[in-house]
Amino acid sequence: MFPSFFMAHGAPTLVLEHNPYTRFLRILGAQIPKPRGVVLFSAHWESPVQAISGAAQPETIHDFFGYPQRLYQYEYVARGDILLSLEVQKLLTAEGIGCRIHDERGLDHGAWTVLSLLLPHADVPVVTLSVNPRLVPEEQYRIGMSLMPLREQDYLIIGSGGTVHNPGLLGWDAKEADNWAIEFDQWLAERIHIWDLEALFEYERRAPFAADAAPTREHLAPLFIGMGAADVKRKAALLHQQYQYGSLSLSCWMFS
């Protein structure tokens, strides 16, 4: 059975960089068995109703501005899989989770930054899903739980976001990680390792510096989805952790 993952997608420039995190993702992609397909929840696709991509050839979306010109020319040419999209829809619907298939949605940078490093040959079909930041963590977790059967069918479930993500507090010239970002991530890690859902679901109230680390919910929602997809054995491993720009957390969690 495939594990599920939470992966930080960082800034769009991640695909142009050579650092410990990009090396880690490349090595991880070479080590894990090739999946039948990828089901990826992107923090950069927000929707009030759970949306599922259904495009046969999803385009590369350049959903940002102010970055180097070559980023706007970058393409991750993956194919979709409408049968997988329909299976995702069936599983969500069976759990009473409203959803719809979006026939034209492409791959935003929450998807292609991670996938281009993990699966650089783009030879695995990809179905992306939206997140709804209005949902509480328990509801995000339930979405992940509904898709657990996909892991038994050799599909890879990835939540793409960031545990510490606050553009307003980034230090573009910072050489060291901010203590408040580290404290928030340490609090999360301690509770993820023991699968303390009660505390995690109340992170906004309990975690130190939660308002600074996660002022909005969309980048942390994929973490709960990834955990929910591994609700049976509830095993968690932090595979990588580093920071950019003082507080941008680049972490990867594996759930099995």
Side-chain angles (χ1 to χ4, degrees):
M1 179 186 292
F2 269 74
S4 57
F5 287 89
F6 171 78
M7 297 179 180
H9 57 70
T13 48
L14 194 71
V15 296
L16 306 178
E17 297 171 358
H18 299 279
N19 60 46
Y21 186 54
T22 59
R23 288 194 295 273
F24 160 76
L25 288 177
R26 291 188 179 98
I27 292 171
L28 178 64
Q31 289 178 337
I32 62 176
K34 185 176 179 180
R36 290 177 61 191
V38 174
V39 174
L40 184 146
F41 289 81
S42 172
H44 285 275
W45 185 9
E46 296 183 32
S47 174
V49 175
Q50 182 63 65
I52 308 160
S53 69
Q57 296 290 332
E59 65 176 351
T60 303
I61 304 173
H62 303 96
D63 52 333
F64 43 79
F65 61 91
Y67 284 93
Q69 184 58 38
R70 57 181 174 156
L71 264 184
Y72 298 92
Q73 300 167 348
Y74 185 86
E75 299 286 331
Y76 185 77
V77 187
R79 69 186 188 278
D81 183 345
I82 189 58
L83 293 179
L84 177 55
S85 301
L86 290 169
E87 179 66 15
V88 169
Q89 183 183 45
K90 183 179 77 172
L91 291 170
L92 291 169
T93 301
E95 293 299 321
I97 299 169
C99 57
R100 62 182 177 86
I101 292 179
H102 194 302
D103 293 331
E104 299 179 358
R105 177 71 183 189
L107 301 176
D108 58 60
H109 82 269
W112 56 257
T113 49
V114 169
L115 293 174
S116 64
L117 296 167
L118 192 72
L119 300 167
H121 301 297
D123 55 353
V124 173
V126 177
V127 170
T128 57
L129 288 91
S130 65
V131 297
N132 180 359
R134 294 186 178 182
L135 299 182
V136 296
E138 293 97 324
E139 294 171 302
Q140 308 287 4
Y141 191 90
R142 180 169 165 250
I143 290 171
M145 286 180 63
S146 71
L147 300 182
M148 280 194 293
L150 294 177
R151 294 176 50 216
E152 298 177 352
Q153 301 170 42
D154 295 333
Y155 288 109
L156 184 59
I157 299 175
I158 299 173
S160 173
T163 53
V164 181
H165 182 274
N166 188 337
L169 294 181
L170 294 180
W172 296 103
D173 298 318
K175 302 299 182 184
E176 301 291 336
D178 294 330
N179 288 333
W180 61 266
I182 295 173
E183 284 193 42
F184 179 79
D185 267 340
Q186 287 179 339
W187 184 93
L188 277 182
E190 289 170 2
R191 282 141 191 89
I192 291 171
H193 278 302
I194 62 173
W195 219 272
D196 185 355
L197 295 181
E198 180 181 351
L200 288 167
F201 289 168
E202 295 184 355
Y203 77 90
E204 290 173 307
R205 182 173 63 86
R206 296 194 189 188
F209 305 105
D212 292 326
T216 55
R217 291 177 173 176
E218 78 285 344
H219 273 76
L220 207 50
L223 171 70
F224 297 114
I225 294 169
M227 290 184 71
D231 185 67
V232 176
K233 293 185 178 180
R234 296 187 170 189
K235 294 182 179 180
L238 180 59
L239 303 184
H240 189 89
Q241 177 72 70
Q242 74 179 78
Y243 297 88
Q244 284 184 318
Y245 317 121
S247 63
L248 185 62
S249 181
L250 299 179
S251 58
C252 178
W253 283 92
M254 181 176 71
F255 307 114
S256 58

